[in-house]
Amino acid sequence: MDVQLICCVLSLLLSSIEGQSYNDDGWSMKVQAEVRAIEGYPVVLPCSFSHPQHTHHSSLQVVWRLGHGQGSTILFRCTSHIVSQTCESGPQQDQRYRLEGNPRQHDLSMRINSVALQDSGRYYCRVEVPGHDHASYEDKMGTRLRVEAPPTILGLSVEGSEESGYRALCLVQGSPLPDVQWLGPEELLEGLAISPLAQGSVAQHRTVSQLQDVLPGQQYTCSASNPLGKEQSTLYVLPPKLEEPTSGETSPPLLFLISVSLGAKLLLLLGVGVWMVKGRAQLGFTCRWK
């Protein structure tokens, strides 16, 4: 059995591990240690509890939080009354979150619709009995949600000047973080990974690869891949176009960039841009698409 297969088996075993915790008041709660999801699809975070007297309470309140402690964010809150089979949430509740289970049947599982990469994190479920001191319980371990996504090339650009030389930049997003390679007309080129400008949770799923010494008249392909897929974009840099001088000076050169993106669904997107370079002014051009 090769190393990669062993790692996959161990990862699946870890994802299926369930944790159960107790306290002195007789509460118990069971959650899943880790849940994996694909970007754009729904996911359910399992959570169940038990307490000998819970069926006698007139109402129960369910709370789901992202993170632990003072820096946590309450994502979902609802109240279940004994006369109703539904758990009622407030009018300001984000509709992406909803209770999948029934608190009267010990089930506090929450559903997240259309998960995004920024939804990755550790989630905690809590059950409370309004009006009763110390009649509440929260899971201490939490459930780690890991959102995965195939590679997406967010942007392809060329920067620099005729004096300093040109460089190509490829901004890529995906989870696991994609591996980026540059391909020339006949050979594999060596790029340099640099930190993306974006801040926040999304930044950890993005990377920027830089290719130095880009020459007009050549084409360069940025290739991003991870276990979920592969995407490529090709940059064609045309030589500067010379025009007839009008006042004894050479006209500014033109640099054409054509960016072609080939995704998993075999969609062909074209973007064309022209920048005029005068003297020592820098040339900048960015192609972006969704």
Side-chain angles (χ1 to χ4, degrees):
M1 183 179 298
D2 61 28
V3 175
Q4 184 176 6
L5 180 57
I6 293 176
C7 291
C8 291
V9 172
L10 291 176
S11 179
L12 290 174
L13 289 175
L14 176 62
S15 298
S16 63
I17 294 176
E18 290 185 337
Q20 188 165 3
S21 52
Y22 301 85
N23 72 354
D24 295 336
D25 297 329
W27 291 90
S28 68
M29 188 166 285
K30 182 183 293 186
V31 299
Q32 194 162 314
E34 182 178 87
V35 173
R36 292 186 176 182
I38 302 297
E39 183 184 31
Y41 289 87
V43 65
V44 174
L45 304 181
C47 178
S48 61
F49 77 100
S50 64
H51 187 274
Q53 301 299 322
H54 84 277
T55 55
H56 299 291
H57 299 311
S58 59
S59 66
L60 295 172
Q61 191 168 84
V62 180
V63 178
W64 275 89
R65 296 185 299 118
L66 175 60
H68 195 269
Q70 295 182 351
S72 65
T73 302
I74 295 179
L75 301 175
F76 180 83
R77 185 195 300 271
C78 69
T79 302
S80 174
H81 300 283
I82 197 170
V83 295
S84 175
Q85 292 298 314
T86 62
C87 196
E88 300 177 358
S89 56
Q92 303 301 320
Q93 176 61 53
D94 187 339
Q95 296 304 306
R96 280 208 312 137
Y97 307 97
R98 77 178 192 194
L99 200 65
E100 187 77 0
N102 185 343
R104 297 295 168 176
Q105 297 177 359
H106 311 250
D107 194 347
L108 308 179
S109 301
M110 182 181 68
R111 176 189 178 98
I112 307 177
N113 289 317
S114 188
V115 293
L117 287 174
Q118 55 265 34
D119 290 323
S120 297
R122 192 168 294 277
Y123 291 74
Y124 297 84
C125 63
R126 178 181 180 89
V127 59
E128 301 174 350
V129 181
H132 292 73
D133 293 337
H134 309 296
S136 64
Y137 190 69
E138 178 177 280
D139 164 57
K140 303 302 181 184
M141 180 176 66
T143 297
R144 180 187 178 188
L145 174 60
R146 179 181 296 179
V147 181
E148 300 181 345
T152 300
I153 296 179
L154 301 177
L156 199 57
S157 64
V158 170
E159 297 179 350
S161 66
E162 187 175 0
E163 283 190 351
S164 63
Y166 300 109
R167 62 174 185 165
L169 300 174
C170 186
L171 173 61
V172 177
Q173 178 173 284
S175 179
L177 196 64
D179 176 57
V180 181
Q181 292 182 322
W182 287 93
L183 305 173
E186 299 179 353
E187 60 180 342
L188 181 66
L189 304 175
E190 185 174 353
L192 175 66
I194 59 178
S195 300
L197 299 178
Q199 300 294 327
S201 60
V202 178
Q204 62 181 319
H205 306 296
R206 291 182 179 180
T207 184
V208 178
S209 182
Q210 172 183 283
L211 182 64
Q212 297 280 9
D213 302 324
V214 172
L215 300 176
Q218 300 294 328
Q219 70 177 41
Y220 304 92
T221 297
C222 175
S223 177
S225 62
N226 70 9
L228 297 180
K230 181 178 181 179
E231 181 161 287
Q232 291 184 343
S233 292
T234 299
L235 181 70
Y236 296 88
V237 186
L238 301 183
K241 180 181 178 181
L242 299 179
E243 299 179 353
E244 293 295 330
T246 58
S247 59
E249 296 181 358
T250 304
S251 59
L254 295 177
L255 189 64
F256 292 84
L257 306 177
I258 302 178
S259 177
V260 181
S261 175
L262 178 61
K265 296 183 179 180
L266 299 181
L267 297 178
L268 187 63
L269 305 177
L270 297 179
V272 180
V274 178
W275 280 80
M276 300 190 68
V277 182
K278 297 182 179 181
R280 299 181 180 180
Q282 285 192 338
L283 171 67
F285 180 86
T286 302
C287 299
R288 295 187 183 277
W289 59 90
K290 295 183 178 180

